[in-house]
């Protein structure tokens, strides 16, 4: 029985590792430098439902990029929620990076486009675009998001979700992708989610399986995980550690 148990465990480890390992490389730093060599900034758009910590997650990634010697511009494209621009400015002041903003009740897609033009003209390496949180069944807001990602063709569309909510996060990311597909702007091929960031990953323990399910359901990798409250609390997903947690 010991041999069978070991063989089954080995097969499970292999299967889980294959699910969690990206089918294509998601080396953000390498992609940033490739864009820089072409004379344009790398553009990442942060999307997700309300209250999952998109702005904080964006700020953690900004801190990480700055620590790599890159010039980062934040784009305030949450023109919907009161206080969102001010929240982003507070993070920017702490991080010592500029914010491109045009206030509230404006077209977010146009602000994102103008921020990229500004970044290109002023030698920024990266533009991180903050967007309004929205529920996946809110068609007008999903249509506005689809317009933003399709008009601006970002290098990365990053879905930010909470690890704590378990299976709810799988439902969110699946329906978010479906809504982006159904509200595709401009009649071309719809632009969907490229990767996932999970927040509160330090508090989940037995819910770690949500990461596997999200990757399996979307086919997109978990690129980053948030593991605390400070800007340094950002990690890349360690596949072997996750597999060990699931099979312990």
């Amino acid at each position: 029985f010991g041999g069978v148990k070991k063989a089954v465990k080995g097969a499970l480890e292999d299967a889980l590792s294959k699910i969690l390992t990206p089918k294509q490389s998601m080396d953000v730093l390498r992609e940033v430098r490739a864009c820089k060599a072409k004379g344009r900034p790398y553009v990442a758009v942060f999307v997700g439902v309300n209250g999952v910590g998109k702005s904080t997650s964006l700020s953690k990634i900004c801190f990480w990029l700055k620590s790599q010697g890159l010039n980062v511009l934040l784009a305030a494209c949450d023109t919907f929620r009161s206080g969102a621009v001010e929240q982003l400015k507070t993070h920017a002041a702490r991080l010592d990076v500029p914010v491109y903003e045009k206030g509230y009740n404006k077209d977010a897609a146009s602000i994102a486009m103008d921020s990229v033009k500004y970044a290109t003209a002023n030698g920024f390496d990266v533009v991180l675009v903050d967007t309004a949180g929205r529920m996946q069944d809110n068609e007008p807001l999903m249509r506005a998001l689809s317009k933003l990602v399709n008009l601006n063709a970002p290098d990365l569309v990053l879905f930010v979700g909470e690890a704590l909510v378990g299976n709810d996060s799988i439902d969110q990311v699946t329906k978010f992708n479906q809504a982006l597909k159904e509200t595709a702007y401009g009649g071309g091929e719809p632009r969907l989610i490229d990767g996932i960031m999970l927040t509160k990953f330090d508090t989940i323990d037995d819910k770690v399986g949500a990461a596997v399910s999200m990757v399996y359901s979307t086919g997109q990798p978990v690129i980053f995980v948030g593991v605390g409250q400070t800007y340094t609390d950002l990690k890349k997903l360690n596949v072997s550690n996750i597999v060990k947690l699931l099979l312990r």
Side-chain angles (χ1 to χ4, degrees):
F1 284 115
V4 172
K5 186 179 178 183
K6 190 175 179 181
V8 169
K9 189 177 180 182
L12 273 172
E13 282 180 358
D14 288 346
L16 289 167
S17 295
K18 280 178 185 172
I19 290 170
L20 286 168
T21 302
K23 293 176 180 64
Q24 58 190 47
S25 173
M26 291 296 287
D27 187 333
V28 172
L29 284 179
R30 188 177 67 194
E31 290 177 17
V32 170
R33 288 179 179 127
C35 290
K36 194 174 179 179
K38 294 174 185 172
R40 69 169 183 87
Y42 177 90
V43 181
V45 174
F46 290 69
V47 305
V49 300
N50 310 66
V52 294
K54 278 189 306 304
S55 299
T56 304
S57 298
L58 179 152
S59 301
K60 287 178 179 181
I61 291 173
C62 176
F63 179 87
W64 172 64
L65 290 167
K66 270 201 75 181
S67 73
Q68 304 298 316
L70 297 165
N71 294 322
V72 184
L73 176 69
L74 307 187
C77 294
D78 182 351
T79 66
F80 185 75
R81 179 174 62 89
S82 177
V85 175
E86 289 75 17
Q87 182 187 14
L88 195 65
K89 281 182 171 180
T90 299
H91 284 302
R94 290 174 185 156
L95 293 162
D96 192 28
V97 296
V99 176
Y100 188 93
E101 59 99 0
K102 289 189 175 178
Y104 294 98
N105 300 314
K106 304 282 192 339
D107 180 47
S110 299
I111 295 171
M113 185 174 287
D114 289 345
S115 74
V116 174
K117 288 176 184 173
Y118 177 85
T120 305
N122 290 277
F124 285 94
D125 303 314
V126 183
V127 181
L128 301 181
V129 180
D130 189 32
T131 66
R134 64 203 77 208
M135 299 309 292
Q136 60 275 14
D137 55 1
N138 186 323
E139 189 180 328
L141 284 181
M142 287 306 302
R143 205 170 286 283
L145 182 64
S146 178
K147 179 182 176 183
L148 189 152
V149 296
N150 283 285
L151 269 184
N152 289 283
D155 300 283
L156 176 67
V157 178
L158 190 67
F159 179 88
V160 181
E162 266 190 10
L164 276 173
V165 294
N167 286 334
D168 284 349
S169 60
I170 301 153
D171 188 55
Q172 285 170 7
V173 73
T174 306
K175 288 183 176 173
F176 222 84
N177 240 356
Q178 188 61 33
L180 279 174
K181 193 180 291 184
E182 289 171 358
T183 57
Y185 180 84
E189 192 69 26
R191 182 63 191 276
L192 307 178
I193 292 161
D194 299 312
I196 299 161
M197 175 169 175
L198 288 177
T199 64
K200 301 180 182 174
F201 207 73
D202 53 321
T203 55
I204 56 168
D205 288 338
D206 58 331
K207 291 185 181 176
V208 74
V212 180
S213 299
M214 287 177 84
V215 172
Y216 184 74
S217 61
T218 63
Q220 302 303 343
V222 175
I223 305 174
F224 299 106
V225 291
V227 293
Q229 299 299 312
T230 70
Y231 293 139
T232 57
D233 292 325
L234 178 76
K235 290 185 177 178
K236 291 189 176 181
L237 188 75
N238 187 310
V239 172
S240 60
N241 283 354
I242 295 297
V243 171
K244 282 174 188 169
L245 273 172
L246 285 165
L247 297 178
R248 69 183 177 185

